[in-house]
Amino acid sequence: MANQISPRKVGHHSGPQFGMLYINYRSSARFVTVQGFDRLPMSEKNDSGYSDADGERRRRLFIWMFGCFLSLVVLVFFVVLVVWLVLRPIRPLFYLQDNSVGQLNLTAGNGLLTSVLQVTLSSRNPNDRIGIYYHDLVAYTRYRGQQTTAAAALPAGYQGHNDVTVWSPYLFGGGVPLATDLSAALSQDQQACRILLSVHIDGRLRWKVGAWTSGYFHLHVNCPGFLVLDFSRPSDAGSYYYRFQNTRCKVDV
């Protein structure tokens, strides 16, 4: 043919022979032919052996997978937020219903307090769709920040929707040394016939919604117990009888 060009020798390098380099002008996709090596299309593959089209497909696949993962995370967060806003667990309600003082004696001179009390505590779950598990509950009394009785364990258990649980533990404190200022303050309160002796509960709880149960949350309950000296009842030497009124407790979760 008139326009057919035969292969031409392009160059020759003196020294070690690496083969002859030819250019074939008859091929539309130009190939470089080196004697002793396979022919590779230089415009389609890079040094790593992958074409530019393969790299672009991998980048698009990675972007698509990342977008799906991010959408899933946002969806899960949105569902949890909606469930939390709809249910909104309310802290349980605690009441100090009774505080029977068997003994509350302060030894003059050394400031030792001996006390025996039986308290009645109640708890109500105000949630309509959420149950409560109670764990590691203990009750004790405090006078102006100082613990005056040993901690008494309360039974653990499950509290259903709008259920009420009642505990009636005995609280004992034998010869508890009070600080000098607290001993003087208690003597003044006894002379005034009014004593604020708070009952505390410490423990943990978990929320239950359907088959799902939350992790543990710390529970602290503070029930102020106002005791008023009852002169209508006879008393032994060194003993006092007190009246008590039902009071609502402060609950922290």
Side-chain angles (χ1 to χ4, degrees):
M1 296 178 65
N3 57 355
Q4 180 176 354
I5 302 176
S6 61
R8 297 182 180 180
K9 181 177 179 181
V10 177
H12 176 74
H13 186 275
S14 60
Q17 299 297 320
F18 295 94
M20 302 301 294
L21 181 65
Y22 292 90
I23 300 179
N24 190 343
Y25 292 95
R26 288 177 298 178
S27 176
S28 59
R30 298 181 179 180
F31 293 91
V32 176
T33 304
V34 180
Q35 292 182 354
F37 297 92
D38 294 335
R39 298 189 302 171
L40 300 175
M42 299 182 62
S43 61
E44 295 184 4
K45 292 188 177 182
N46 52 29
D47 295 338
S48 63
Y50 294 98
S51 65
D52 294 338
D54 292 338
E56 182 64 23
R57 284 194 294 269
R58 289 198 307 274
R59 284 192 294 270
R60 291 180 179 178
L61 178 61
F62 175 78
I63 294 174
W64 178 82
M65 293 176 62
F66 179 77
C68 291
F69 174 76
L70 185 61
S71 300
L72 181 62
V73 171
V74 173
L75 179 61
V76 171
F77 176 78
F78 178 76
V79 170
V80 172
L81 180 61
V82 169
V83 171
W84 181 264
L85 292 177
V86 170
L87 296 178
R88 282 188 181 181
I90 304 174
R91 291 175 294 184
L93 304 176
F94 279 79
Y95 298 90
L96 180 58
Q97 295 182 339
D98 190 20
N99 190 351
S100 301
V101 181
Q103 187 176 6
L104 190 62
N105 297 334
L106 178 63
T107 304
N110 53 16
L112 298 178
L113 177 63
T114 300
S115 55
V116 178
L117 307 94
Q118 184 182 17
V119 298
T120 301
L121 297 155
S122 66
S123 170
R124 187 176 74 87
N125 178 10
N127 298 281
D128 294 327
R129 301 181 181 89
I130 303 176
I132 302 176
Y133 285 104
Y134 291 106
H135 301 272
D136 307 325
L137 297 180
V138 293
Y140 55 92
T141 61
R142 284 181 177 272
Y143 177 73
R144 298 198 178 189
Q146 180 176 341
Q147 185 171 338
T148 56
T149 62
L154 303 180
Y158 174 74
Q159 191 175 53
H161 315 150
N162 297 303
D163 285 352
V164 176
T165 305
V166 179
W167 301 279
S168 295
Y170 281 92
L171 305 178
F172 301 94
V176 178
L178 297 181
T180 304
D181 56 339
L182 293 183
S183 177
L186 182 57
S187 297
Q188 294 176 0
D189 289 345
Q190 287 181 334
Q191 293 175 6
C193 304
R194 293 177 180 271
I195 299 176
L196 175 58
L197 191 67
S198 59
V199 180
H200 293 255
I201 297 177
D202 284 326
R204 299 184 301 168
L205 63 77
R206 293 184 297 163
W207 309 104
K208 184 179 185 302
V209 182
W212 176 81
T213 303
S214 72
Y216 290 94
F217 291 85
H218 180 259
L219 172 69
H220 179 74
V221 181
N222 182 5
C223 305
F226 292 96
L227 303 175
V228 179
L229 188 63
D230 188 358
F231 291 99
S232 64
R233 300 179 59 184
S235 61
D236 299 330
S239 298
Y240 296 87
Y241 292 97
Y242 297 90
R243 294 194 310 269
F244 171 79
Q245 291 182 349
N246 190 344
T247 182
R248 182 171 175 174
C249 307
K250 179 183 178 182
V251 181
D252 294 320
V253 178

